[in-house]
Amino acid sequence: MLPKSALIWQLCVVYFLAMFAIVARAESPYRFFTWNVTYGDIYPLGVRQQGILINGQFPGPDIYSVTNDNLIINVHNSLPEPFLISWNGVQQRRNSYEDGVYGTTCPIPPGKNFTYILQVKDQIGSYFYFPSVGFQKAAGGFGGIRILSRPLIPVPFPEPAGDFTVLIGDWYKANHNKLKSVLDRGHRLPSPDGILINGHGSNGASFTVEQGKTYRFRISNVGLQHSLNFRIQGHKMKLVEVEGTHTIQTTYSSLDVHVGQSYSVLVTMDQPPQDFYIAVSTRFTNKVLTSTGTLHYSNSAHPVSGPVPGGPTTQIDWSLNQARSIRTNLTASGPRPNPQGSYHYGLINISRTIKLESSAGQVNGKQRYAVNSVSFIPADTPLKLADYFKIGGVFRVGSIQDQPTGGNIYLDTSVMGADFRGFIEIVFQNHENIVQSWHIDGYNFWVVGMNGGVWTPASRNEYNLRDAVSRCTTQVYPKSWTAIYVALDNVGMWNVRSEFWARQYLGQQFYLRVYSPVESIRDEYPIPKNALLCGRAKGKHTRSL
């Protein structure tokens, strides 16, 4: 029998842990969502198409949350094919199992369900979710994510009168499986057919506002390849947030939003009471595609009138200068109590430089795209599961080099190793004549520099080491480079990909395995109890319930 003092000690420990659990739960609320994913008829460009609906909606429902909320999202797959959702910009701290890409998570089989358990840990901002399997993104299934600051954390602007999600993107009239079959046969896709605003073609989307008030618009490019320019007739836009970072509040008449990116702007309704065009058009394309929506004043006396406001078309310097003007607001509070600028990224020694060079070419007579000459092919088992269960032969760490090889494109399941708590520099080098867009799951990074030509060590003299914007998706202009700094503070298997979706599908991606030899729950959560198991992980066991 335990001594009385030991028994009292044990009771105190139990009480402390119970109180801690209660406080932790009280501080981090749970939000529950149940989604049914189906096919349904949609008419975004005036012809009937088979779209992916969530609870009958296209686009899908918005996710509203607050910093540190726990999101329990039960997804029922009623499609006749596997389905998987990824959460663009949600960092999945210590939990890449829930990232929702095939390298980390098994797709949900037809007729089955899976419950994602996410925490938006230490995050604020505007993001979106999308289907990550095959080419399903071309059929819908996407929606907005907004993460609000906790009530005690000041926000550097007054609360707006309203908050709108604006999902813009290029769109094909063809079925997503037909598009996928074109790629599978080794061909390139034609140009998209149009531009959507919240699932509508021209003149379909409308936003009702009151004269004299200020509204927040969260703009995400959820499309497949094109950079888009966003503008509102007769109104200025004040940029306030980019993918979780409060920015210096610069005013723009139009804004370039590259594929995969998200921005928040404030717009004050300071015009006479009438309706105004919202215009979205392609950038850097031979044929400019344009779509319009309506900004409707509630006391409007006139419908939209006059020409649709024009925007920039092929001007690279205009876009580059705008990108350089987007900087972090160092006086604003972030999701943590400390100011955003208190982490002096510019004073930290770089532990490693990775240079990533994209390329396009033929492999076995079929179109492929590559990073450092490696064109990614999916394994038969999600890489994170193979890593956890120590299943050999699925992938090899180091199967992609951290410098360009200059060799011909070849196929492999490319995984690059990286050390937990390293502080690295990544340079994206673009030798092609297109604007590229790159995303890293699990992280935000500082965009410290971008310019034309070929990057050299001397290019570091151009870096912004004071107030560079921190984000998760960055553009790389034609014949140009973009450099980023990344603090590797999130253990896991993370997808690094082109957001040009056909290129991603045909190999322009790889996985960054951020590894800690300690293998502690302090650094990474254990595999979820409800994790789906497929491939060579089928029949394995997760954790006991």
Side-chain angles (χ1 to χ4, degrees):
M1 186 171 179
L2 288 172
K4 185 176 181 181
S5 59
L7 183 60
I8 292 173
W9 170 250
Q10 282 196 354
L11 289 173
C12 287
V13 170
V14 170
Y15 177 81
F16 173 80
L17 291 174
M19 290 299 100
F20 180 82
I22 291 171
V23 170
R25 181 166 292 186
E27 289 181 347
S28 303
Y30 284 76
R31 298 177 187 265
F32 296 88
F33 305 83
T34 300
W35 289 355
N36 185 33
V37 181
T38 61
Y39 277 133
D41 289 342
I42 57 174
Y43 300 81
L45 294 179
V47 297
R48 187 174 72 175
Q49 292 181 252
Q50 184 186 63
I52 293 178
L53 314 181
I54 297 179
N55 292 350
Q57 300 178 46
F58 169 75
D62 275 0
I63 293 178
Y64 297 82
S65 61
V66 175
T67 300
N68 291 350
D69 278 359
N70 297 283
L71 309 181
I72 314 300
I73 307 172
N74 187 6
V75 179
H76 295 262
N77 180 16
S78 297
L79 303 179
E81 59 198 67
F83 182 78
L84 194 57
I85 291 180
S86 190
W87 320 91
N88 211 71
V90 177
Q91 292 176 9
Q92 314 290 356
R93 305 294 301 176
R94 300 187 289 167
N95 196 16
S96 63
Y97 295 103
E98 304 281 3
D99 198 34
V101 290
Y102 182 68
T104 63
T105 314
C106 292
I108 307 169
K112 303 294 183 181
N113 74 296
F114 175 70
T115 301
Y116 290 89
I117 303 171
L118 318 176
Q119 186 181 26
V120 288
K121 179 70 174 168
D122 293 333
Q123 287 193 261
I124 60 165
S126 310
Y127 310 98
F128 63 93
Y129 61 85
F130 68 95
S132 62
V133 172
F135 221 66
Q136 291 175 341
K137 190 180 181 186
F142 45 73
I145 301 172
R146 61 183 67 177
I147 308 173
L148 304 179
S149 295
R150 289 175 290 177
L152 297 179
I153 305 299
V155 175
F157 49 86
E159 184 173 354
D163 196 331
F164 296 112
T165 294
V166 187
L167 304 177
I168 59 177
D170 47 15
W171 189 260
Y172 287 93
K173 294 178 181 178
N175 181 279
H176 73 95
N177 283 318
K178 181 178 179 180
L179 296 172
K180 177 177 173 292
S181 69
V182 171
L183 296 172
D184 289 339
R185 292 196 304 270
H187 303 299
R188 299 186 183 196
L189 293 179
S191 295
D193 297 303
I195 305 295
L196 303 189
I197 304 173
N198 282 355
H200 298 277
S202 276
N203 305 317
S206 182
F207 303 86
T208 300
V209 296
E210 293 185 29
Q211 189 180 26
K213 294 186 176 181
T214 298
Y215 293 80
R216 183 173 184 172
F217 291 78
R218 299 173 186 262
I219 309 158
S220 294
N221 186 339
V222 299
L224 300 170
Q225 69 182 71
H226 284 318
S227 301
L228 300 174
N229 183 266
F230 180 91
R231 53 205 180 272
I232 301 176
Q233 182 184 25
H235 294 74
K236 299 292 186 181
M237 300 179 290
K238 182 185 290 184
L239 184 67
V240 294
E241 176 257 329
V242 173
E243 294 162 19
T245 298
H246 292 306
T247 61
I248 292 176
Q249 295 180 12
T250 306
T251 298
Y252 301 99
S253 58
S254 70
L255 192 62
D256 277 355
V257 187
H258 304 279
V259 63
Q261 292 185 339
S262 297
Y263 291 87
S264 276
V265 297
L266 297 179
V267 182
T268 298
M269 306 305 149
D270 55 4
Q271 298 299 305
Q274 63 179 69
D275 291 354
F276 296 88
Y277 283 115
I278 294 174
V280 180
S281 57
T282 55
R283 292 282 270 123
F284 322 114
T285 55
N286 293 326
K287 178 184 177 182
V288 177
L289 300 175
T290 301
S291 187
T292 58
T294 303
L295 184 71
H296 171 66
Y297 278 43
S298 59
N299 60 340
S300 172
H302 303 283
V304 291
S305 61
V308 175
T313 54
T314 60
Q315 303 91 329
I316 297 291
D317 287 347
W318 186 97
S319 188
L320 176 62
N321 290 331
Q322 183 177 84
R324 287 173 172 164
S325 73
I326 299 171
R327 296 178 290 141
T328 296
N329 181 349
L330 297 180
T331 64
S333 295
R336 301 179 181 87
N338 56 302
Q340 285 185 162
S342 65
Y343 189 87
H344 297 293
Y345 68 93
L347 301 178
I348 301 172
N349 291 329
I350 298 167
S351 59
R352 180 182 178 188
T353 295
I354 298 170
K355 188 174 181 182
L356 302 176
E357 193 171 279
S358 58
S359 58
Q362 298 273 317
V363 177
N364 300 325
K366 293 186 175 182
Q367 181 66 49
R368 297 293 300 186
Y369 300 94
V371 187
N372 288 0
S373 300
V374 188
S375 185
F376 182 86
I377 51 172
D380 60 6
T381 305
L383 309 181
K384 185 61 187 170
L385 298 185
D387 209 12
Y388 175 80
F389 290 116
K390 296 179 169 53
I391 302 170
V394 175
F395 69 91
R396 179 178 60 85
V397 177
S399 47
I400 178 173
Q401 302 299 310
D402 58 7
Q403 297 293 319
T405 65
N408 294 329
I409 295 176
Y410 64 95
L411 308 179
D412 204 347
T413 303
S414 38
V415 176
M416 183 182 293
D419 295 330
F420 179 46
R421 294 203 174 98
F423 190 83
I424 65 173
E425 173 187 46
I426 299 178
V427 178
F428 296 99
Q429 182 69 59
N430 179 12
H431 294 299
E432 300 181 75
N433 287 316
I434 63 167
V435 175
Q436 298 179 344
S437 191
W438 285 92
H439 176 87
I440 303 180
D441 281 351
Y443 287 95
N444 263 32
F445 45 75
W446 291 274
V447 184
V448 294
M450 55 177 64
N451 210 340
V454 176
W455 181 92
T456 68
S459 302
R460 294 184 180 123
N461 296 328
E462 306 174 28
Y463 285 4
N464 176 358
L465 299 182
R466 183 177 182 271
D467 59 358
V469 70
S470 173
R471 62 186 315 165
C472 58
T473 307
T474 187
Q475 70 272 29
V476 190
Y477 292 102
K479 307 286 187 181
S480 300
W481 57 266
T482 294
I484 65 174
Y485 282 176
V486 192
L488 298 178
D489 59 357
N490 196 12
V491 172
M493 187 78 71
W494 303 110
N495 191 220
V496 181
R497 63 176 177 266
S498 169
E499 289 283 6
F500 191 137
W501 211 241
R503 286 176 168 248
Q504 175 274 153
Y505 181 75
L506 292 180
Q508 207 157 73
Q509 60 169 308
F510 68 95
Y511 282 83
L512 188 69
R513 180 182 183 255
V514 180
Y515 177 71
S516 170
V518 177
E519 297 187 0
S520 165
I521 59 172
R522 179 195 64 188
D523 299 333
E524 184 175 29
Y525 292 141
I527 189 170
K529 296 175 184 178
N530 68 330
L532 297 173
L533 301 180
C534 56
R536 282 186 258 175
K538 199 168 184 178
K540 304 282 187 181
H541 299 283
T542 55
R543 296 181 288 142
S544 61
L545 295 174

